[in-house]
């Protein structure tokens, strides 16, 4: 059984995002690029399954749609332990375009499970995983917080409002994962880093696909009022402010 | 031509989120000179469905079929796409909650529609159709042009006010044909807590971080939340340590919430934490370090020891209630 993990290349989550007001691109100077946090956790879970002989998972491939400049992030995934990597050589301009590219490439690979994160921390679109499923014409399960294998079939935990449910689904399928899928992201070992050097990133050329949305410009979040401090010995004052000034209680 | 809005139901009932969606749809429809069709999947009582009409839905449908009892992403997406095609709807609105995120992408592919996800305001313009959405996990917002003929918006929870606009819709129950080749998911068991305010629905959230020191110290925090009719939340290390359940973890890799009031107790205010709470209308910080970054995002702050401040806050709220 093979798992494909889709990875997005995003600014490190501590980055203070800079852009000229109204500009349609951010200032990338000095940004550290990382594997999108969700995808890192997806990869971790996929590798845990592969490393457990009873799961039946034999191979983990990472798939990325993006330019050559994102290769270091793909290498990181290989160093963490992915067996193989593919990259569609394109600029991932919107969810529809990106999912078209990934679906076309993944469709040519042999796979049983595709794992995508619930969102990419840059555009927060929450769409690529579900779109890949529809493009490939295979089922998807969203809000997945756990995947395990029982007798060669996936058993999935799906979060629902106020709880969770156990779900079975036919193979192949797309899992769109969130919190809980793995605890700590796996980190690369020295041996992994060395091994990654000799692993090839296989290239796909992009297929014809449309881009349906376009960023007209970024804006900074509305500034917040400065903090009003309340005497720690008189917290009743805070309650009064929340009630009469902010009117939120 | 109508604006189509999907309002899921919870055991046949609607809640504030549903009315926000319909109110938003009615405002968008107003901008476009259109009417609103609201629909739910699965049976809801007529009394409940009529509620949607109070917020501006001209038509209210409940789509039913035994094949729709379990949410299967592709099956439900197809039902929504088919309805949009039948209604000639060019604008489809869903919540940006778990269900909306599960269904919008499938609808988008079937109808070749661009998605504006996590939208928190009315469209900035209708020509070109431009929406305002969260980007970089709350560090920025983007104006996004949806170029496709059909457009999908997923609305951020608690970002749009409820507006009463009685439209007197008469609920219709529609038996839908389901493509039997699609359903692929079966639910084998469900664990659900009832009677608790969901973190994503709560208007007041009291959240604890590592500064709470030990899982044994949570009692006054929980009491404060319950006195304020709120929910409890926590930072990631707290749920990682198992001090609090995972459902409470807010932030970049946890839940994204937008309550009216977020009280952060013993939370430093890391960017990854703020990513999940920065849309809260008011943030209160309680922290013993006056330089903690959380104070930069807070409108009210108390510099002090959580263990001393929390019991006093509890008393103050109790006094208020008397
Ligand atoms: C990829 C990635 C994703 C992440 N996602 C998330 C996420 O989703 N959510 C999240 O929360 N974090 C996330 N983190 C972790 C984040 O970077 C911080 O480590 C975390 O938010 C810190 O939690 P904290 O504020 O509870 O603890 P700390 O940073 O340890 O802060 C504790 C605070 O408590 C205060 N304090 C101590 N004692 C007291 C006292 N007696 N009374 C009052 N105050 C006191 C201290 O002054 C301090 O400010 C993520 C990190 C990474 C790398």
């Amino acid at each position: 059984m093979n798992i494909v993990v889709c990875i997005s290349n995003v600014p490190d989550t501590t980055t203070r995002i800079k852009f000229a007001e109204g500009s349609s691109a951010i200032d990338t100077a000095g940004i550290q690029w990382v594997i999108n946090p969700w995808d890192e956790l997806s990869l971790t879970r996929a590798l845990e399954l592969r490393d457990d002989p009873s799961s039946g998972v034999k191979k983990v491939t990472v798939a990325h749609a993006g330019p050559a400049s994102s290769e270091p992030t793909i290498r990181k995934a290989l160093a963490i332990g992915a067996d193989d990597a593919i990259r569609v050589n394109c600029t991932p301009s919107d969810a529809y375009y990106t999912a078209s590219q990934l679906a076309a490439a993944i469709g040519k690979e042999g796979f049983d499970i595709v794992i995508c994160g619930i969102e990419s921390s840059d555009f927060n679109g929450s769409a690529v995983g579900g779109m890949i499923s529809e493009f490939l014409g295979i089922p998807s399960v969203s809000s997945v917080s756990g995947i395990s294998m029982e007798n060669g079939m996936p058993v999935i935990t799906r979060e629902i409002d106020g709880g969770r449910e156990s779900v079975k689904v036919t193979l192949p399928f797309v899992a769109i994962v969130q919190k809980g899928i793995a605890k700590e992201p796996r980190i690369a070992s020295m041996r992994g880093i060395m091994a990654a050097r000799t692993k090839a990133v296989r290239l796909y050329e992009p297929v014809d696909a449309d881009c349906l949305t376009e960023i007209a410009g970024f804006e900074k979040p509305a500034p917040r009022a400065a903090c009003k401090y309340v005497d720690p010995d008189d917290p009743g004052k805070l309650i009064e402010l929340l009630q009469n000034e902010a009117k939120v209680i | 031509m109508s604006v189509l809005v999907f309002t899921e139901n919870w055991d046949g009932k609607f809640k504030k989120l549903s009315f926000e969606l319909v109110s938003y749809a009615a405002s968008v429809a107003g901008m476009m000179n259109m009417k609103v069709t609201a629909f739910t999947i699965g049976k809801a009582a007529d009394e409940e469905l009529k509620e949607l009409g109070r917020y501006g839905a001209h038509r209210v449908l409940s789509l039913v079929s035994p094949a729709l009892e379990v949410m299967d992403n592709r099956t439900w997406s197809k039902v929504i796409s088919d309805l949009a095609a039948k209604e000639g709807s060019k604008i489809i609105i869903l919540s940006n909650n778990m269900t909306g995120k599960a269904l919008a992408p499938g609808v988008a592919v079937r109808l070749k529609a661009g998605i504006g996800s996590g939208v928190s305001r009315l469209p900035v313009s209708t020509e070109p159709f431009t929406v305002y959405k969260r980007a970089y996990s709350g560090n920025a917002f983007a104006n996004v042009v949806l170029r496709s003929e059909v457009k999908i918006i997923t609305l951020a929870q608690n970002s749009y006010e409820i507006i009463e606009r009685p439209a007197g819709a008469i609920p219709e129950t529609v038996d839908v044909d389901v493509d039997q080749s699609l359903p692929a998911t079966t639910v084998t068991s469900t664990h659900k807590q009832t009677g608790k305010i969901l973190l994503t629905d709560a208007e007041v959230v009291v959240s604890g971080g590592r500064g709470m020191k030990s899982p044994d110290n949570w009692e006054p925090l929980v009491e404060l939340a319950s006195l304020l009719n709120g929910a409890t939340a926590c930072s990631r290390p707290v749920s990682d340590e198992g001090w609090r359940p995972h459902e409470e973890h807010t932030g970049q890799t946890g839940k994204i919430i937008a309550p009216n009031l977020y009280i952060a107790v013993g939370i430093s205010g890391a960017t990854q934490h703020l990513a999940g709470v920065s849309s809260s209308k008011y943030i209160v910080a309680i922290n013993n370090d006056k330089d903690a970054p959380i104070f930069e995002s807070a409108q009210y702050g108390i510099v002090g020891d959580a263990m001393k401040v929390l019991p006093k806050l509890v008393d103050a709220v109790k006094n208020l209630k008397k």
Side-chain angles (χ1 to χ4, degrees), chain A residues 12-14 34-38 40 179 185, chain B residues 208-213 234-238 240 249-255 262 265-276 286-294 302-309:
Chain A
D12 179 279
T13 51
T14 55
V34 298
I35 306 172
N36 179 43
W38 296 114
E40 207 180 14
K179 160 108 187 139
Chain B
R210 205 144 49 181
M212 290 292 291
K213 297 282 175 14
C234 69
S235 69
R236 175 162 124 178
V238 165
D240 282 353
H249 163 191
T250 49
Q252 178 114 42
T253 45
K255 289 212 165 69
Y262 182 76
V265 189
I267 291 178
S268 59
T271 40
Q272 296 97 345
H273 185 79
L274 293 172
I286 300 170
N287 198 301
N288 64 359
D289 173 8
K290 69 170 181 21
D291 296 322
I294 186 77
I302 297 183
V303 180
D305 183 344
M307 289 310 114
K308 298 209 177 88
V309 174

Side-chain angles (χ1 to χ4, degrees), chain B residues 69-121:
Chain B
E69 263 155 36
V70 165
M71 186 177 80
D72 176 80
N73 290 356
R74 293 191 69 220
T75 311
W76 283 40
S77 299
K78 172 137 193 316
V79 164
I80 298 175
S81 312
D82 289 350
L83 179 65
K86 202 166 114 199
E87 295 273 314
S89 301
K90 302 294 178 226
I91 299 178
I92 305 167
I93 298 170
L94 303 91
S95 173
N96 192 46
N97 68 354
M98 288 198 281
T99 309
K101 287 178 189 176
L103 302 177
V107 179
V109 171
R110 286 192 181 272
L111 301 178
K112 205 172 178 187
I115 308 182
S117 54
V119 168
S120 55
R121 289 185 187 167

Side-chain angles (χ1 to χ4, degrees), chain A residues 13 38 122-124 140 142 158 161-162 164 166 168 179 210 212 214 216-217 219 224 228 230 245, chain B residues 10 71 73 112 133 136-137 141 143 145 147 186 188-189 191 193 240 249 253 272 278 280 299-301:
Chain A
T13 51
W38 296 114
D122 48 8
F123 298 114
N124 306 122
S140 67
S142 304
R158 170 160 84 174
D161 282 330
R164 53 187 54 91
S166 191
K168 289 205 162 126
K179 160 108 187 139
D210 285 320
L212 306 180
E214 188 189 322
E219 285 180 24
R224 285 177 172 273
K228 261 190 199 174
V230 171
E245 190 176 81
Chain B
W10 292 264
M71 186 177 80
N73 290 356
K112 205 172 178 187
K133 74 168 295 268
Y136 290 99
S137 303
F141 285 83
N143 288 311
V145 180
R147 295 227 177 275
T186 35
T188 52
S189 67
H191 305 273
Q193 272 196 320
D240 282 353
H249 163 191
T253 45
Q272 296 97 345
S278 61
S280 308
Q299 287 69 63
Y300 299 106

